[in-house]
Amino acid sequence: METSLICLAAALIGGLMMSRLTKKLNLPAVTAYLVAGLALGPFCLGALGIPGFGFQSLHQVEGLSVLTQTALGFIAFSMGSEFRLHQLKSMGAKAITIGIVQAVVTTLLVDAVLVCLHLLFPNIISLPAALVLGAIASATAPAATLMVVRQYKADGPLTRLLMLVVAIDDAVGLLLFSVSFGIASALESGAVNVLGVIVEPLIEIVLSVGLGAIIGILMDRVEHLFHSGSKRLTLSVAFVLLAVGLSMLKFNIGPIHCGFSLLLVCMMTGTVFCNVCDTSQELMERVEKWTVPINVLFFVISGAELDLKVIVNPVTLLVGVLYILSRSAGKYIGAWGSCKLSKCTPAVTKHLGITLLPQAGVALGMALTATALGDGALVRNVVLFSVLVYELVGPALTKRSLLLAGEIQPEGKTSSRVTDTPREPVSIH
């Protein structure tokens, strides 16, 4: 236990110190945390074998999954709080159109490129692997996007639409992956599982939305019993932890395998709570401050999980480069075309596609499922390689797009140690 605590302390300190360096390079703090994780990971400092001085194995890093899942839950909860009814009324139709179109276009384009590679060189990649990678390409990382938006306090039409599209993207990506994985499994086994391809993913989405809505309503009802800010904060943390824990449950109804999506459950919890609770804005600000250290650990641990061995395999590099190029083109073209159809402003149309490039946890989860395929190891390695690239480059590109769109204000040189505003009295009731 003492070694784990020292590692977590090193992760926090290392991430924060690295952020001082990346700030001089005008890079987002997310990039700093990921680089710090790589440095502390089992392929760099961890390889020295000094207890507490970095993570010595991927197994040790994976043992901290309770922290990363919790952090992802709070990130999804915060994203859900962005879905105010007035925004959904004004931008909901556009977000749904763009979220679906850009995901489908990305999947089709990556499928086309990788299927052509299979036809030319069948020994490099199988047809099932090509189809599954196309579906995985649709997924976008909400965590990195939210952290960039928060750090630079970005706001405007592009930022608000981006938050909605990223959330919708997860639901669409889940459906696309389930269908593609079902087809890929059928190609290998010769049997089509209709339940697994169509019914189960739809049930997962419905169950996730329903569970999140119930938790959000309960959270609002119980919050009214307390007036102390600290107690309401504690209660909010408890309900998010409850949402994360319940989303991990799996059960069967006859032949149907049922489960939940952590992201959808926590997003829906945040959405419902912030639309029914009158004081949700103030409470969300408290939650965001409380979760800062957890979010830093999330990205540092994510960086430590990146397997650097995948970059030495020439097949992985070839397929990975084609995957990254075709996915990037699909995201940009899909977003650009759907923005044109939705009559978005020129700034949104030009820059939205770039902000959808980050990819991480959701894609890795899909890749883990895909290891059941005969060529599953290649799928996993390609996704690991792409996540390595996208997580290091994606946040910087997101920042640049938001900056060019005029939705990031120039950074000031303020210090949290000095404040001109008087403190509010602390409630003790």
Side-chain angles (χ1 to χ4, degrees), residues 349-408:
T349 302
K350 181 178 180 181
H351 298 293
L352 180 62
I354 299 297
T355 63
L356 295 172
L357 291 182
Q359 189 174 47
V362 178
L364 289 173
M366 293 177 177
L368 184 62
T369 302
T371 54
L373 296 174
D375 216 0
L378 175 63
V379 173
R380 178 180 177 275
N381 289 338
V382 168
V383 173
L384 281 170
F385 173 66
S386 70
V387 167
L388 175 64
V389 174
Y390 279 125
E391 284 294 87
L392 294 177
V393 178
L397 293 176
T398 298
K399 176 198 171 183
R400 180 176 180 274
S401 294
L402 293 174
L403 192 62
L404 292 174
E407 300 192 6
I408 292 179

Side-chain angles (χ1 to χ4, degrees), residues 17-152:
M17 295 303 293
M18 185 64 71
S19 69
R20 300 304 300 170
L21 175 61
T22 55
K23 187 174 183 180
K24 296 182 183 297
L25 301 174
N26 292 321
L27 293 174
V30 176
T31 304
Y33 304 147
L34 291 164
V35 172
L38 279 173
L40 293 169
F43 302 101
C44 294
L45 295 178
L48 298 177
I50 303 174
F53 194 63
F55 302 99
Q56 297 179 27
S57 67
L58 287 174
H59 179 72
Q60 182 185 3
V61 179
E62 291 166 358
L64 300 172
S65 61
V66 64
L67 280 175
T68 56
Q69 293 296 94
T70 300
L72 198 56
F74 277 103
I75 288 168
F77 178 70
S78 295
M79 289 195 69
S81 69
E82 301 289 332
F83 300 165
R84 306 282 175 170
L85 284 177
H86 66 275
Q87 288 187 6
L88 292 175
K89 289 178 181 177
S90 62
M91 305 178 70
K94 288 183 179 180
I96 293 173
T97 300
I98 295 168
I100 294 174
V101 171
Q102 58 83 26
V104 172
V105 168
T106 301
T107 296
L108 292 177
L109 185 55
V110 175
D111 276 344
V113 171
L114 295 183
V115 168
C116 287
L117 179 64
H118 163 73
L119 295 176
L120 293 173
F121 306 100
N123 293 330
I124 290 181
I125 185 172
S126 64
L127 183 58
L131 295 176
V132 168
L133 280 170
I136 294 175
S138 66
T140 299
T145 303
L146 179 63
M147 289 295 285
V148 172
V149 169
R150 276 187 183 175
Q151 180 184 353
Y152 298 105

